[in-house]
Amino acid sequence: MSPDQAPGPPIDVVRRVRDVVLAGGLLLCCWPVLLLAALAVRLESPGPALFRQERVGWRGRRFRVFKLRTMTVDSPTFGPKPTSWDDDRVTRVGRFLRRTSLDELPQLLNVLRGEMSLVGPRPEQPFLVDRYEPWQWERLEVLPGMTGWWQVHGRKQPMHAHVEEDLFYVRHRSHWLDLKILALTVKAVWGGDGAV
């Protein structure tokens, strides 16, 4: 049985209710901001406002993650991650969206669809998961998250080089740890500590 045909992850009712309530509330509050951001993306450069990319989730299940497009449409889908604000692939609007983390807001839809959680390991790219050693598969034992231990403890580093941070979360996961990560995420976003 392939990962896509396997039964879904066991439901943690408290965590799922939290995710649906917070994700739904944030979407309701932020839809004007999302609309304006999407319009700015379309006005600055040709192409869709929404970027979809295949990622790997719980136990190898593949899904399409949603983000606001921050790069030109001719940028390779799985190309090297920008390492500076001067990267020619990143648009001017894209730099603002990345710095403020607004480009991540559409992932609230992934949370509502049950493909992601608010907190968890980042959803990895398929070609990186294909290279996993057996011990690395443990990070796929929980739903991927919009934010997580890795993001608040070194988001400037490449995610595939920091599986240990994700494994720490998987092994110590609790509602209290989730609340701590969410609080640290709000602090980081408020301080403009977005990704390049």
Side-chain angles (χ1 to χ4, degrees):
M1 182 181 291
S2 71
D4 290 334
Q5 296 171 325
I11 296 177
D12 179 327
V13 176
V14 174
R15 188 172 270 108
R16 182 61 185 152
V17 168
R18 176 206 68 193
D19 282 352
V20 170
V21 170
L22 289 180
L26 282 169
L27 271 178
L28 283 174
C29 292
C30 296
W31 73 263
V33 176
L34 269 171
L35 191 61
L36 287 172
L39 182 60
V41 171
R42 289 296 306 273
L43 288 175
E44 184 186 13
S45 63
L50 206 59
F51 174 72
R52 300 172 180 86
Q53 187 181 62
E54 188 175 50
R55 293 293 179 97
V56 180
W58 180 78
R59 292 193 176 177
R61 278 192 169 192
R62 297 194 179 194
F63 68 99
R64 293 199 175 275
V65 71
F66 303 119
K67 296 180 76 171
L68 286 172
R69 181 171 58 84
T70 60
M71 300 171 72
T72 56
V73 290
D74 56 354
S75 301
T77 303
F78 291 110
K81 181 177 182 265
T83 56
S84 76
W85 297 111
D86 298 325
D87 194 302
D88 291 337
R89 296 171 297 165
V90 182
T91 64
R92 286 176 301 171
V93 170
R95 291 188 188 97
F96 173 78
L97 294 176
R98 283 172 173 260
R99 195 182 297 273
T100 57
S101 298
L102 288 174
D103 61 316
E104 308 278 352
L105 280 180
Q107 290 173 37
L108 292 168
L109 294 171
N110 293 114
V111 175
L112 291 177
R113 286 159 56 119
E115 297 162 333
M116 293 177 65
S117 178
L118 288 175
V119 182
R122 283 294 289 171
E124 190 60 279
Q125 299 181 45
F127 77 94
L128 292 172
V129 174
D130 289 342
R131 302 174 189 171
Y132 270 12
E133 296 177 22
W135 66 272
Q136 292 174 300
W137 277 83
E138 186 181 351
R139 76 184 295 277
L140 302 179
E141 285 299 310
V142 300
L143 281 174
M146 287 184 65
T147 187
W149 192 250
W150 168 77
Q151 291 92 317
V152 297
H153 288 86
R155 63 186 297 182
K156 298 298 184 185
Q157 291 81 24
M159 69 178 79
H160 61 271
H162 291 272
V163 177
E164 290 82 1
E165 278 87 346
D166 285 334
L167 293 183
F168 173 88
Y169 173 76
V170 172
R171 293 166 184 170
H172 298 86
R173 161 176 203 255
S174 69
H175 294 295
W176 286 114
L177 181 58
D178 283 1
L179 290 174
K180 178 179 179 180
I181 291 170
L182 287 171
L184 289 172
T185 300
V186 170
K187 180 181 177 182
V189 171
W190 189 262
D193 187 24
V196 170

